[in-house]
Amino acid sequence: MPTQTAAQLRDEARVAYDAFLAGCPSRKVLDRISDKWVTLILTALADGPLRYSELGRRIAGVSQKMLTQTLRTLERDGLVARGITAAVPVRVDYALTPLGRSLMPAVIALKHWAQEHIGEIEAARSAFDEQGQRSVAQGQRLAGRRIPPAPATSRIRSAPRVRI
């Protein structure tokens, strides 16, 4: 193997971690942090450690299964730490790790952006859906005639049975 300069090694490393390449491991990280439950859990933990039940109450709509799975994956990725306190009953707290805290400026910025621009996004969705309905209506016209929609309860008629 030929000797490489430091610049060549840096260039190689840069290509190895290019998220646009299918095999890049950073894609898995992007996939993880783009999940809505991950974003909400990390944001909830930004103010300090929380118990499992507190997280469940704070994040409306998350099932116990999704909360458990997401917390496990965040713990595995080193973004969340699980602390156990010996008591009756056992107390389990979840907190951000230093790595998780380093991600928070981006997560919080994304959350704020979504909250700030949701009105514009919903307006764009409505306009797009309305345009799509007009396109469908135009497509139903054939040579100046409107094609009637198929009945909702149409049946496919089969050939009569022949007994042999």
Side-chain angles (χ1 to χ4, degrees), residues 93-109:
D93 291 301
Y94 293 91
L96 293 176
T97 63
L99 183 61
R101 280 193 298 277
S102 73
L103 179 60
M104 290 315 299
V107 171
I108 290 171

Side-chain angles (χ1 to χ4, degrees), residues 4 29-30 69 71 73 88-89 106 108 113 125 147 150:
Q4 294 181 318
V29 175
L30 290 173
Q69 284 179 350
L71 284 167
T73 58
V88 178
I108 290 171
W113 183 90
R125 287 176 180 169
I147 299 171

Side-chain angles (χ1 to χ4, degrees), residues 17-40:
Y17 294 109
D18 182 355
F20 289 110
L21 298 176
C24 181
S26 66
R27 277 196 180 192
K28 292 177 184 175
V29 175
L30 290 173
D31 184 45
R32 176 72 35 80
I33 63 176
S34 65
D35 179 78
K36 71 177 174 182
W37 299 122
V38 168
T39 304
L40 292 171

Side-chain angles (χ1 to χ4, degrees), residues 51-79:
R51 295 177 78 174
Y52 180 90
S53 58
E54 292 170 324
L55 278 167
R57 281 192 299 271
R58 180 122 189 241
I59 303 169
V62 67
S63 67
Q64 286 183 347
K65 178 182 176 184
M66 280 310 302
L67 183 57
T68 299
Q69 284 179 350
T70 306
L71 284 167
R72 282 185 185 152
T73 58
L74 289 171
E75 187 178 3
R76 180 174 183 249
D77 289 345
L79 300 173

